[in-house]
Amino acid sequence: MMKTQLHLQDADGFYEQLLDAHQGLSPEQSELLNARLILLLANQVGDARVLQECLAAARPAESTATT
Amino acid sequence: MQTRAPDAAAPTYQATAFTNGYEFSKGGYDLPHYPFVAPPELTSGAVLRHPIVIVGAGITGLTLACALARQGIAAVVLDEDHSVGVKGASSRGICYTQKSLEIFQRLGIYERIAAKGIQWSVGRTFAGKDEVYAFDLRQQSSFQLSAQPPFINIQQFYIEGFLVERIYELGHVDLRWGSRVTGFEQRDGHARLTVDTPEGRYQLDAEHVIDASGSHTPFHDWCQAPRQSRRGDDRWCIADVRFSNLPPTERHTWIEAPFNDNRAVWQHLMADDVWRIDYQMEPDADPAVVSSEAEVRKRLRRQFGPDIACEIVWVGPYAYRSQCLETLRIGSVFFMGDTAKIVSPFGARGGNTGVGDADNLAWKLAAVLRGRAPPALLESYNQERLEAARQNVQVTNRTARCLRPADGMERVFRTAVISLARQYPFARQLVNTGRMAVANPYSQSDVCDASGGLSVQNVFFRWEDGSQGCVNDLIQWADGHLLLLVFGDQSAQARERLANLSRHAPVRCVQVLGADNRRQSLETVRDPLGHLQGACHVFGHAWALVRPDAYLAATGEAVDSALVRAIEHALALA
């Protein structure tokens, strides 16, 4: 099941690192970084159901699935 | 009715000539010609009634016809052409899976295919100059044990030609060439077909119509078949070429080929030293332009160097698409092959699915027509092969989406996957240039128990005299009945029950013994290496109920009433 309570060891530190990673990148480079990061993190999670729940939770609430 | 076998020689390779377009006109192949013979309906004017009429003599229709012929079941095949491989040259298959080869072995044409075709097991995927993914199917234990190799590549028309030869050898099936179905009427319990021939029009009645006429079938409209279709802007151009110096016997795919403007390319070998090179073109590319000889030669020079020496055998531009019916049976009509579903040709999931469709329906039709099973058994064809069709459409659509990502975020993720694949092993699995076809499992079938539904590989065992046999030999011996394999020593009570079952139920029973078991009163074979047991997906003391299509109907442990119910269940008797 998707964790909804804090699991990060250093929440503020990670957030800062995430923003820093995008420093000085063009929008296209930032997009690519995010995509690579999502794939790397997804492989750390592994669990298909958790990933599915995360995908559903990440979609903006007002949008509806189109596929 | 027996028809004299006409010039049923297999097609042979001749000098090549450049051809272009969707129709294989005067290509490099000398294909056999099967003449039209006036059927009794035309000479007498009577409307005759046939139990089975197959429309379309492509790989699917001919596989069904051959499977029926092998079981002595009469059928009529109607095909508008006079040969194999000519019509609908687009999307002709080249790659046949172990499961299809096992089916062809049962039908008696495997040796011919193996002699003509090319075996391969290594696939490599490249992005730019880097190899990002590779597999060797010989290293995968799941492929090793069958009497047939993981894959054989061969031009589809060779297989069709071998099937025609075999059908003429076996008899029982009336192959009617030059016969185009132009009318259909669903009546009470049968269909009436109108057939146009070079010598006039006639009608016939069919209790079971099998539509294997391909992607341009008229039956979808005639039956108002509900279906879902998808067509994108992706364009490809196939070049079948003969080289003077040969590339390796491996399947190579490029997701981004530097010599094709970073678009995808396939490279695969067939019989006669012919290679299929499939180039992804720009979206919405003009087919006439991309398939001109000058353009094709330019692409080949970019890939293989300026000194490339090759003959162009055939060129075909394609817009791949997918389609899936919502039901594979409407009234008297059964849909199979490309009338059931259309997939992009990634992973060899087109023709091999058609072969699987045919093998699935063949034994069921035979069982019903022989009175061994009720007509309800035929409904399981729809359940099982619709599941297979949907799975194959889904898998190929996923490949298509990786190869032609939509502009925007899909493209970004594709770039991310390829860049990660160069660095980390996990991402190589995400590079999808086609997932090779498998024997699709059945999880939603009324006649397959939850313990069954898997394909049984054609593995080897020992007969009691020490000689080698394979699963297909046992299936052949069972002669259209279910095959019950019981593993290990059996109690006297179990032996008595099994003997009773063999006498009274539509099942043939064989005891499978290890190296050390003592022979008991049943028919026995030896499985010293446990391959047969492994192929049946069971362990220890167990039984496996194998269908004539080499799928498990059910498996279990105790020889008790559950086994009796499993047999009834497998034939839709209960």
Side-chain angles (χ1 to χ4, degrees):
Chain A
M1 242 174 49
M2 178 176 74
K3 295 181 189 73
T4 54
Q5 300 297 321
L6 184 68
H7 188 61
L8 294 162
Q9 290 175 344
D10 175 9
D12 290 347
F14 168 72
Y15 194 74
E16 185 180 39
Q17 288 164 11
L18 182 62
L19 301 186
D20 285 349
H22 285 275
Q23 284 284 321
L25 298 187
S26 68
E28 290 75 24
Q29 288 170 323
S30 273
E31 260 189 346
L32 185 60
L33 185 155
N34 279 340
R36 284 168 56 91
L37 183 63
I38 288 166
L39 294 170
L40 285 161
L41 293 178
N43 190 52
Q44 309 308 309
V45 176
D47 187 298
R49 212 178 102 195
V50 171
L51 289 170
Q52 207 175 357
E53 286 176 4
C54 292
L55 281 169
R59 272 182 81 82
E62 65 272 21
S63 68
T64 50
T66 53
T67 52
Chain B
M1 194 191 84
Q2 284 291 326
T3 316
R4 188 183 62 83
D7 176 20
T12 55
Y13 189 85
Q14 289 204 327
T16 56
F18 182 79
T19 63
N20 182 357
Y22 293 89
E23 296 293 310
F24 195 120
S25 53
K26 267 286 174 201
Y29 296 100
D30 179 23
L31 298 170
H33 180 86
Y34 311 118
F36 170 78
V37 178
E41 285 92 342
L42 204 54
T43 45
S44 72
V47 177
L48 301 180
R49 185 162 170 148
H50 303 273
I52 301 171
V53 173
I54 301 165
V55 184
I59 190 167
T60 301
L62 289 171
T63 298
L64 175 62
C66 193
L68 292 169
R70 197 181 64 82
Q71 295 179 69
I73 301 290
V76 172
V77 178
L78 302 170
D79 192 274
E80 61 189 24
D81 208 348
H82 291 273
S83 188
V84 289
V86 175
K87 290 279 182 182
S90 59
S91 218
R92 305 299 283 173
I94 64 165
C95 182
Y96 297 91
T97 61
Q98 185 168 81
K99 179 67 183 179
S100 293
L101 297 171
E102 290 170 347
I103 292 168
F104 293 139
Q105 199 265 342
R106 236 187 289 134
L107 299 184
I109 63 164
Y110 171 70
E111 296 304 327
R112 279 172 255 196
I113 294 170
K116 188 74 198 170
I118 304 294
Q119 293 190 24
W120 67 277
S121 63
V122 175
R124 300 185 192 280
T125 296
F126 302 89
K129 292 187 182 342
D130 304 324
E131 179 180 311
V132 293
Y133 180 70
F135 59 81
D136 182 353
L137 300 169
R138 287 274 179 200
Q139 304 300 317
Q140 296 178 17
S141 56
S142 56
F143 280 105
Q144 277 176 5
L145 302 178
S146 172
Q148 275 64 51
F151 287 96
I152 286 183
N153 280 16
I154 185 173
Q155 290 85 329
Q156 180 173 332
F157 60 78
Y158 278 119
I159 294 187
E160 293 167 349
F162 299 152
L163 285 166
V164 171
E165 285 177 41
R166 183 73 178 130
I167 289 166
Y168 280 124
E169 284 168 20
L170 290 165
H172 305 291
V173 167
D174 180 2
L175 292 168
R176 298 186 182 180
W177 306 100
S179 304
R180 182 187 179 89
V181 179
T182 55
F184 164 83
E185 190 191 331
Q186 179 66 53
R187 299 193 165 193
D188 188 19
H190 69 276
R192 178 158 295 185
L193 300 179
T194 304
V195 184
D196 282 14
T197 77
E199 293 177 22
R201 171 174 294 185
Y202 69 89
Q203 292 192 309
L204 53 71
D205 286 347
E207 288 160 22
H208 305 88
V209 177
I210 289 82
D211 180 18
S213 62
S215 58
H216 299 295
T217 176
F219 281 88
H220 285 174
D221 288 338
W222 287 340
C223 297
Q224 298 179 318
R227 57 195 183 270
Q228 293 195 324
S229 303
R230 186 190 288 193
R231 188 186 282 274
D233 61 2
D234 200 11
R235 298 291 179 269
W236 294 74
C237 186
I238 285 178
D240 286 350
V241 297
R242 276 184 111 192
F243 292 101
S244 306
N245 42 353
L246 303 176
T249 310
E250 297 176 347
R251 175 184 190 264
H252 286 191
T253 62
W254 285 260
I255 190 157
E256 287 184 346
F259 49 83
N260 190 38
D261 300 328
N262 272 341
R263 288 187 299 268
V265 174
W266 266 245
Q267 176 183 309
H268 224 172
L269 180 59
M270 288 179 270
D272 307 315
D273 296 334
V274 174
W275 286 77
R276 171 157 294 179
I277 322 285
D278 196 356
Y279 296 97
Q280 188 178 33
M281 298 286 101
E282 293 226 59
D284 282 325
D286 180 350
V289 173
V290 301
S291 64
S292 71
E293 178 164 8
E295 283 297 314
V296 172
R297 290 211 173 268
K298 202 162 90 188
R299 277 197 294 274
L300 289 166
R301 277 196 301 274
R302 285 185 70 188
Q303 180 174 0
F304 297 99
D307 302 329
I308 176 185
C310 72
E311 305 166 86
I312 297 176
V313 179
W314 184 73
V315 172
Y318 302 112
Y320 294 146
R321 64 187 173 115
S322 74
Q323 175 170 290
C324 195
L325 290 197
E326 289 174 16
T327 174
L328 302 190
R329 184 186 182 185
I330 298 174
S332 303
V333 182
F334 296 77
F335 296 94
M336 64 169 55
D338 284 357
T339 73
K341 59 88 199 72
I342 297 168
V343 295
S344 304
F346 310 127
R349 288 174 185 261
N352 287 296
T353 311
V355 171
D357 290 344
D359 196 43
N360 185 289
L361 187 58
W363 76 268
K364 293 172 184 175
L365 279 172
V368 169
L369 290 175
R370 284 191 174 131
R372 292 173 180 173
L377 178 63
L378 300 177
E379 186 50 30
S380 68
Y381 166 77
N382 176 48
Q383 294 165 342
E384 293 171 358
R385 297 313 293 176
L386 187 59
E387 182 179 359
R390 284 180 171 153
Q391 187 177 45
N392 290 324
V393 167
Q394 182 188 49
V395 170
T396 48
N397 279 348
R398 286 173 173 174
T399 301
R401 210 167 171 189
C402 184
L403 293 170
R404 169 61 183 127
D407 294 337
M409 195 47 75
E410 287 196 20
R411 172 69 64 181
V412 172
F413 273 110
R414 224 278 296 261
T415 306
V417 162
I418 292 171
S419 64
L420 287 170
R422 292 199 170 101
Q423 293 172 275
Y424 306 113
F426 88 92
R428 291 171 196 161
Q429 303 287 332
L430 294 171
V431 178
N432 187 346
T433 58
R435 306 298 186 211
M436 298 313 296
V438 296
N440 297 91
Y442 305 142
S443 69
Q444 293 156 27
S445 168
D446 285 344
V447 301
C448 277
D449 186 74
S451 63
L454 297 174
S455 175
V456 178
Q457 262 183 318
N458 188 31
V459 298
F460 294 108
F461 59 84
R462 296 277 170 194
W463 297 105
E464 272 300 341
D465 67 4
S467 65
Q468 187 172 254
C470 62
V471 169
N472 276 347
D473 295 332
L474 288 172
I475 288 174
Q476 194 114 352
W477 170 78
D479 191 26
H481 291 90
L482 297 171
L483 174 68
L484 177 61
L485 302 177
V486 286
F487 295 89
D489 291 321
Q490 300 297 323
S491 68
Q493 192 186 24
R495 291 205 303 276
E496 174 64 29
R497 283 187 180 141
L498 291 168
N500 253 324
L501 275 177
S502 292
R503 272 195 296 277
H504 302 297
V507 61
R508 294 281 174 88
C509 182
V510 177
Q511 187 178 20
V512 185
L513 300 176
D516 308 325
N517 300 112
R518 205 166 49 82
R519 186 175 176 175
Q520 297 179 298
S521 56
L522 297 157
E523 296 278 357
T524 54
V525 298
R526 297 273 169 183
D527 186 27
L529 301 174
H531 291 172
L532 185 52
Q533 190 156 23
C536 290
H537 310 277
V538 293
F539 304 95
H541 273 84
W543 53 262
L545 192 58
V546 183
R547 315 194 309 190
D549 58 356
Y551 267 82
L552 289 169
T555 60
E557 288 173 14
V559 177
D560 57 13
S561 59
L563 170 56
V564 177
R565 280 198 302 277
I567 293 168
E568 291 172 346
H569 204 62
L571 295 171
L573 293 163

